[in-house]
Protein backbone atom coordinates (compact mmCIF):
# COMPACT_ATOMS: atom_id res chain seq x y z
CA UNK A 1 0.00 0.00 0.00
CA UNK A 2 1.44 3.35 -1.07
CA UNK A 3 1.62 6.44 1.09
CA UNK A 4 -1.01 8.12 -1.09
CA UNK A 5 -3.45 5.23 -0.64
CA UNK A 6 -2.82 5.22 3.11
CA UNK A 7 -3.55 8.93 3.11
CA UNK A 8 -6.82 8.31 1.27
CA UNK A 9 -7.96 5.80 3.90
CA UNK A 10 -6.95 8.15 6.71
CA UNK A 11 -9.00 10.85 4.99
CA UNK A 12 -12.00 8.53 4.67
CA UNK A 13 -11.72 7.43 8.31
CA UNK A 14 -12.14 11.09 9.37
CA UNK A 15 -9.98 10.83 12.45
CA UNK A 16 -11.14 14.18 13.80
CA UNK A 17 -14.55 12.61 14.55
CA UNK A 18 -13.06 9.91 16.78
CA UNK A 19 -13.03 12.03 19.97
CA UNK A 20 -16.83 11.95 19.83
CA UNK A 21 -16.77 8.15 19.80
CA UNK A 22 -14.43 8.21 22.80
CA UNK A 23 -16.38 10.75 24.87
CA UNK A 24 -19.21 8.49 26.00
CA UNK A 25 -16.78 5.69 26.88
CA UNK A 26 -14.60 8.09 28.86
CA UNK A 27 -17.62 9.40 30.74
CA UNK A 28 -18.95 5.91 31.46
CA UNK A 29 -15.48 4.88 32.63
CA UNK A 30 -15.16 7.91 34.90
CA UNK A 31 -18.50 7.15 36.52
CA UNK A 32 -17.45 3.52 36.95
CA UNK A 33 -14.19 4.63 38.58
CA UNK A 34 -16.19 6.68 41.06
CA UNK A 35 -18.20 3.53 41.81
CA UNK A 36 -14.97 1.58 42.38
CA UNK A 37 -15.51 -0.72 39.39
CA UNK A 38 -13.02 0.53 36.78
CA UNK A 39 -11.05 -2.07 34.78
CA UNK A 40 -8.29 -1.02 32.37
CA UNK A 41 -8.49 -3.98 29.90
CA UNK A 42 -12.26 -3.58 29.74
CA UNK A 43 -11.88 0.16 29.19
CA UNK A 44 -9.38 -0.41 26.38
CA UNK A 45 -11.64 -2.89 24.59
CA UNK A 46 -14.67 -0.61 24.96
CA UNK A 47 -12.72 2.31 23.55
CA UNK A 48 -11.36 0.25 20.65
CA UNK A 49 -14.81 -1.07 19.74
CA UNK A 50 -16.33 2.43 19.82
CA UNK A 51 -13.54 3.78 17.59
CA UNK A 52 -13.95 0.97 15.06
CA UNK A 53 -17.70 1.52 14.91
CA UNK A 54 -17.13 5.24 14.32
CA UNK A 55 -14.64 4.55 11.53
CA UNK A 56 -17.12 2.11 9.96
CA UNK A 57 -19.80 4.80 10.10
CA UNK A 58 -17.45 7.32 8.48
CA UNK A 59 -16.52 4.94 5.66
CA UNK A 60 -20.18 4.11 5.07
CA UNK A 61 -21.02 7.82 5.08
CA UNK A 62 -18.33 8.52 2.47
CA UNK A 63 -19.63 5.67 0.32
CA UNK A 64 -23.35 6.36 0.78
CA UNK A 65 -23.13 10.09 0.06
CA UNK A 66 -21.14 9.38 -3.11
CA UNK A 67 -23.69 6.84 -4.35
CA UNK A 68 -26.68 9.07 -3.56
CA UNK A 69 -25.14 12.22 -5.03
CA UNK A 70 -25.18 14.12 -1.73
CA UNK A 71 -21.42 14.58 -2.23
CA UNK A 72 -20.70 16.54 -5.39
CA UNK A 73 -18.64 19.43 -6.76
CA UNK A 74 -20.66 21.92 -4.68
CA UNK A 75 -19.69 20.34 -1.38
CA UNK A 76 -18.06 22.81 1.03
CA UNK A 77 -16.85 20.36 3.69
CA UNK A 78 -13.70 18.23 3.79
CA UNK A 79 -12.74 16.19 0.71
CA UNK A 80 -14.48 12.82 0.46
CA UNK A 81 -12.51 9.81 -0.74
CA UNK A 82 -15.00 8.07 -3.05
CA UNK A 83 -16.49 11.07 -4.84
CA UNK A 84 -12.98 12.49 -5.42
CA UNK A 85 -11.79 9.18 -6.90
CA UNK A 86 -9.15 8.50 -4.23
CA UNK A 87 -10.90 5.24 -3.30
CA UNK A 88 -13.17 3.28 -5.62
CA UNK A 89 -16.63 2.15 -4.55
CA UNK A 90 -15.52 -1.48 -4.58
CA UNK A 91 -12.49 -0.69 -2.43
CA UNK A 92 -14.67 1.22 0.01
CA UNK A 93 -17.08 -1.70 0.32
CA UNK A 94 -14.13 -3.95 1.14
CA UNK A 95 -12.85 -1.42 3.66
CA UNK A 96 -16.26 -1.30 5.32
CA UNK A 97 -16.39 -5.08 5.51
CA UNK A 98 -12.90 -5.28 7.04
CA UNK A 99 -13.62 -2.55 9.59
CA UNK A 100 -16.93 -4.16 10.51
CA UNK A 101 -15.17 -7.49 11.00
CA UNK A 102 -12.61 -5.91 13.31
CA UNK A 103 -15.42 -4.24 15.27
CA UNK A 104 -17.12 -7.62 15.71
CA UNK A 105 -13.91 -9.26 16.97
CA UNK A 106 -13.21 -6.38 19.35
CA UNK A 107 -16.81 -6.34 20.55
CA UNK A 108 -16.87 -10.07 21.27
CA UNK A 109 -13.61 -9.81 23.20
CA UNK A 110 -15.11 -6.92 25.16
CA UNK A 111 -18.25 -8.86 26.04
CA UNK A 112 -16.27 -11.93 27.03
CA UNK A 113 -14.22 -9.77 29.39
CA UNK A 114 -17.33 -8.19 30.86
CA UNK A 115 -19.81 -11.08 30.92
CA UNK A 116 -17.94 -14.41 30.74
CA UNK A 117 -20.07 -15.66 33.65
CA UNK A 118 -23.31 -13.91 32.70
CA UNK A 119 -24.68 -15.40 29.47
CA UNK A 120 -28.01 -13.48 29.42
CA UNK A 121 -26.12 -10.17 29.57
CA UNK A 122 -23.58 -11.45 27.02
CA UNK A 123 -26.27 -12.21 24.44
CA UNK A 124 -28.24 -9.07 25.24
CA UNK A 125 -25.18 -6.94 24.50
CA UNK A 126 -24.54 -8.91 21.30
CA UNK A 127 -27.96 -7.63 20.24
CA UNK A 128 -26.97 -4.06 21.12
CA UNK A 129 -23.72 -4.50 19.19
CA UNK A 130 -25.53 -5.79 16.12
CA UNK A 131 -27.85 -2.79 16.30
CA UNK A 132 -24.85 -0.47 16.47
CA UNK A 133 -23.29 -2.13 13.40
CA UNK A 134 -26.49 -1.78 11.41
CA UNK A 135 -26.93 1.83 12.51
CA UNK A 136 -23.34 2.69 11.55
CA UNK A 137 -23.88 1.49 7.98
CA UNK A 138 -27.50 2.38 7.24
CA UNK A 139 -27.10 6.04 8.22
CA UNK A 140 -26.36 6.80 4.55
CA UNK A 141 -26.30 3.36 2.87
CA UNK A 142 -29.27 1.32 1.64
CA UNK A 143 -32.59 1.96 -0.01
CA UNK A 144 -33.88 4.23 2.75
CA UNK A 145 -30.93 5.55 4.78
CA UNK A 146 -32.26 7.03 7.98
CA UNK A 147 -29.76 9.91 7.91
CA UNK A 148 -31.58 11.19 4.80
CA UNK A 149 -34.91 11.27 6.67
CA UNK A 150 -33.93 13.51 9.56
CA UNK A 151 -33.22 10.72 12.04
CA UNK A 152 -29.47 11.19 12.28
CA UNK A 153 -29.77 13.49 15.28
CA UNK A 154 -31.77 10.90 17.22
CA UNK A 155 -29.28 8.15 16.35
CA UNK A 156 -26.29 10.24 17.44
CA UNK A 157 -28.05 11.22 20.67
CA UNK A 158 -28.80 7.59 21.52
CA UNK A 159 -25.51 5.94 20.55
CA UNK A 160 -23.15 8.76 21.63
CA UNK A 161 -25.19 9.62 24.69
CA UNK A 162 -27.67 7.38 26.44
CA UNK A 163 -26.48 3.99 25.19
CA UNK A 164 -22.81 4.98 25.06
CA UNK A 165 -22.55 6.29 28.61
CA UNK A 166 -25.05 4.07 30.42
CA UNK A 167 -23.96 0.99 28.44
CA UNK A 168 -20.29 1.61 29.21
CA UNK A 169 -21.11 2.10 32.89
CA UNK A 170 -23.03 -1.19 32.93
CA UNK A 171 -20.13 -3.07 31.36
CA UNK A 172 -17.99 -2.10 34.34
CA UNK A 173 -20.50 -2.29 37.17
CA UNK A 174 -23.31 -4.63 36.03
CA UNK A 175 -25.91 -2.35 37.49
CA UNK A 176 -27.79 0.77 36.42
CA UNK A 177 -28.43 4.04 38.21
CA UNK A 178 -31.19 6.16 36.71
CA UNK A 179 -29.62 9.53 37.64
CA UNK A 180 -26.87 8.63 35.14
CA UNK A 181 -29.36 9.54 32.41
CA UNK A 182 -28.56 13.20 33.15
CA UNK A 183 -24.83 13.17 32.24
CA UNK A 184 -25.58 10.67 29.46
CA UNK A 185 -28.14 13.08 28.03
CA UNK A 186 -25.61 15.91 28.23
CA UNK A 187 -23.04 13.83 26.37
CA UNK A 188 -25.56 12.93 23.67
CA UNK A 189 -26.71 16.52 23.20
CA UNK A 190 -23.14 17.73 22.68
CA UNK A 191 -22.49 15.00 20.09
CA UNK A 192 -25.73 15.98 18.33
CA UNK A 193 -24.55 19.59 18.30
CA UNK A 194 -21.51 18.54 16.25
CA UNK A 195 -23.77 16.84 13.70
CA UNK A 196 -26.04 19.89 13.62
CA UNK A 197 -23.19 22.21 12.62
CA UNK A 198 -22.26 19.76 9.87
CA UNK A 199 -25.86 19.75 8.64
CA UNK A 200 -26.18 23.55 8.78
CA UNK A 201 -22.99 23.88 6.73
CA UNK A 202 -24.25 21.36 4.15
CA UNK A 203 -27.87 22.50 4.19
CA UNK A 204 -28.01 23.81 0.62
CA UNK A 205 -26.32 20.81 -1.00
CA UNK A 206 -28.27 18.35 1.15
CA UNK A 207 -31.53 19.99 0.19
CA UNK A 208 -30.60 19.92 -3.51
CA UNK A 209 -29.72 16.20 -3.38
CA UNK A 210 -32.83 15.18 -1.44
CA UNK A 211 -31.00 14.52 1.83
CA UNK A 212 -33.61 15.60 4.36
CA UNK A 213 -31.53 16.10 7.49
CA UNK A 214 -33.17 17.64 10.54
CA UNK A 215 -31.49 20.96 9.65
CA UNK A 216 -33.13 20.83 6.21
CA UNK A 217 -36.49 20.05 7.79
CA UNK A 218 -36.17 22.84 10.35
CA UNK A 219 -34.76 25.44 7.98
CA UNK A 220 -31.57 27.41 8.49
CA UNK A 221 -32.70 29.85 11.18
CA UNK A 222 -34.52 27.32 13.32
CA UNK A 223 -31.57 24.92 12.99
CA UNK A 224 -29.35 27.62 14.48
CA UNK A 225 -31.78 28.16 17.37
CA UNK A 226 -31.95 24.39 17.83
CA UNK A 227 -28.17 24.47 18.26
CA UNK A 228 -28.57 26.71 21.31
CA UNK A 229 -31.03 24.20 22.79
CA UNK A 230 -28.51 21.40 22.36
CA UNK A 231 -25.62 23.25 24.03
CA UNK A 232 -27.69 24.81 26.82
CA UNK A 233 -29.56 21.54 27.40
CA UNK A 234 -26.28 19.69 27.85
CA UNK A 235 -25.11 22.22 30.42
CA UNK A 236 -28.39 22.08 32.35
CA UNK A 237 -28.40 18.25 32.47
CA UNK A 238 -24.82 18.01 33.74
CA UNK A 239 -25.28 20.86 36.21
CA UNK A 240 -28.45 19.20 37.55
CA UNK A 241 -26.63 15.91 38.07
CA UNK A 242 -23.71 17.58 39.85
CA UNK A 243 -26.01 19.71 41.99
CA UNK A 244 -28.42 16.93 42.96
CA UNK A 245 -26.27 13.82 43.18
CA UNK A 246 -22.59 14.78 43.38
CA UNK A 247 -21.14 15.97 46.69
CA UNK A 248 -17.63 16.45 45.30
CA UNK A 249 -16.63 19.66 43.47
CA UNK A 250 -14.26 17.83 41.09
CA UNK A 251 -16.81 17.15 38.30
CA UNK A 252 -17.28 20.91 37.98
CA UNK A 253 -13.94 20.89 36.15
CA UNK A 254 -16.00 20.42 32.99
CA UNK A 255 -17.04 24.08 33.21
CA UNK A 256 -13.58 24.97 31.90
CA UNK A 257 -14.65 23.57 28.53
CA UNK A 258 -18.24 24.85 28.57
CA UNK A 259 -17.45 28.53 28.02
CA UNK A 260 -15.73 27.86 24.66
CA UNK A 261 -18.75 25.79 23.58
CA UNK A 262 -21.02 28.76 24.27
CA UNK A 263 -18.73 31.06 22.23
CA UNK A 264 -18.83 28.63 19.31
CA UNK A 265 -22.62 28.55 19.50
CA UNK A 266 -22.69 32.35 19.22
CA UNK A 267 -20.60 32.13 16.04
CA UNK A 268 -22.85 29.39 14.62
CA UNK A 269 -25.87 31.61 15.30
CA UNK A 270 -24.45 34.55 13.34
CA UNK A 271 -22.05 33.24 10.69
CA UNK A 272 -23.20 32.33 7.18
CA UNK A 273 -19.67 31.44 5.95
CA UNK A 274 -19.26 27.68 5.35
CA UNK A 275 -15.53 27.98 6.00
CA UNK A 276 -16.20 29.52 9.39
CA UNK A 277 -18.70 26.78 10.18
CA UNK A 278 -16.05 24.18 9.31
CA UNK A 279 -13.84 25.68 12.00
CA UNK A 280 -16.69 25.78 14.51
CA UNK A 281 -17.50 22.14 13.82
CA UNK A 282 -13.96 21.17 14.78
CA UNK A 283 -14.04 23.44 17.82
CA UNK A 284 -17.33 21.93 18.98
CA UNK A 285 -16.05 18.37 18.54
CA UNK A 286 -12.91 19.13 20.56
CA UNK A 287 -14.84 21.18 23.12
CA UNK A 288 -17.34 18.36 23.62
CA UNK A 289 -14.53 15.87 24.03
CA UNK A 290 -12.73 17.95 26.64
CA UNK A 291 -15.98 18.72 28.44
CA UNK A 292 -16.68 15.00 28.84
CA UNK A 293 -13.02 14.20 29.58
CA UNK A 294 -12.90 16.74 32.41
CA UNK A 295 -16.25 15.53 33.70
CA UNK A 296 -14.99 11.93 33.67
CA UNK A 297 -11.78 12.93 35.46
CA UNK A 298 -13.85 14.80 38.02
CA UNK A 299 -15.91 11.70 38.75
CA UNK A 300 -12.78 9.55 38.96
CA UNK A 301 -11.17 12.00 41.42
CA UNK A 302 -14.31 12.40 43.56
Amino acid sequence: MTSSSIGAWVLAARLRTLPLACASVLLGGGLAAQAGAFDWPLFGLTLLTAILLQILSNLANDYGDAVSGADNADRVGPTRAVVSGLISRQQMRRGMLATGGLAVVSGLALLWRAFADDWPAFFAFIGFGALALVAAVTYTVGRRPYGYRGLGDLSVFLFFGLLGVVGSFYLFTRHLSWPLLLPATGCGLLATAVLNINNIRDLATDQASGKRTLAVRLGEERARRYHWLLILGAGVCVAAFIGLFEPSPWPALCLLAYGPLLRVTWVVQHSRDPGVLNGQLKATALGSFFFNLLLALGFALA
Side-chain angles (χ1 to χ4, degrees):
M1 184 178 290
T2 65
S3 60
S4 60
S5 61
I6 293 174
W9 285 106
V10 170
L11 175 70
R14 294 165 63 191
L15 301 184
R16 71 177 185 174
T17 67
L18 299 188
L20 288 179
C22 300
S24 60
V25 177
L26 289 170
L27 187 50
L31 288 162
Q34 186 181 42
F38 188 80
D39 178 78
W40 277 110
L42 185 60
F43 176 75
L45 286 169
T46 307
L47 203 59
L48 176 61
T49 304
I51 289 172
L52 287 169
L53 286 171
Q54 180 61 41
I55 292 175
L56 173 62
S57 178
N58 291 340
L59 298 182
N61 187 255
D62 193 302
Y63 174 83
D65 280 350
V67 170
S68 70
D71 280 348
N72 51 52
D74 296 325
R75 176 179 169 80
V76 295
T79 302
R80 292 297 188 91
V82 173
V83 77
S84 65
L86 296 173
I87 297 174
S88 70
R89 293 186 183 184
Q90 183 180 30
Q91 288 173 323
M92 186 60 81
R93 287 194 295 267
R94 290 173 181 170
M96 290 163 56
L97 185 61
T99 306
L102 290 173
V104 168
V105 172
S106 176
L108 289 174
L110 162 64
L111 296 183
W112 183 258
R113 174 77 185 186
F115 304 124
D117 58 348
D118 187 350
W119 289 106
F122 183 90
F123 286 111
F125 269 77
I126 283 182
F128 291 139
L131 181 63
L133 277 170
V134 171
V137 174
T138 58
Y139 177 68
T140 57
V141 175
R143 292 185 178 180
R144 300 189 67 187
Y146 66 87
Y148 288 18
R149 293 184 287 159
L151 298 176
D153 292 57
L154 177 61
S155 176
V156 166
F157 173 73
L158 289 175
F159 284 102
F160 290 84
L162 298 186
L163 293 176
V165 175
V166 176
S168 296
F169 179 81
Y170 188 84
L171 287 171
F172 288 104
T173 64
R174 300 201 196 182
H175 75 268
L176 295 175
S177 175
W178 294 115
L180 296 180
L181 291 176
L182 285 171
T185 296
C187 187
L189 290 174
L190 290 179
T192 307
V194 176
L195 176 64
N196 188 53
I197 297 179
N198 180 85
N199 290 342
I200 291 173
R201 182 200 66 198
D202 295 344
L203 195 148
T205 54
D206 285 345
Q207 192 167 27
S209 66
K211 186 176 181 179
R212 301 281 292 171
T213 63
L214 185 58
V216 170
R217 292 178 180 275
L218 289 174
E220 185 173 353
E221 294 308 314
R222 283 189 292 179
R224 295 176 192 274
R225 292 196 291 270
Y226 164 63
H227 196 77
W228 276 107
L229 292 177
L230 294 172
I231 298 297
L232 293 175
V236 168
C237 287
V238 171
F241 181 81
I242 293 174
L244 293 173
F245 304 105
E246 184 54 58
S248 168
W250 284 110
L253 282 170
C254 66
L255 294 177
L256 295 173
Y258 193 63
L261 287 170
L262 291 174
R263 286 197 295 272
V264 167
T265 306
W266 179 263
V267 175
V268 170
Q269 174 70 44
H270 294 92
S271 176
R272 300 299 184 269
D273 185 340
V276 171
L277 291 177
N278 263 336
Q280 304 316 303
L281 191 156
K282 180 179 179 180
T284 302
L286 290 175
S288 299
F289 172 76
F290 284 113
F291 180 89
N292 286 292
L293 175 62
L294 292 172
L295 186 59
L297 287 174
F299 289 133
L301 291 171

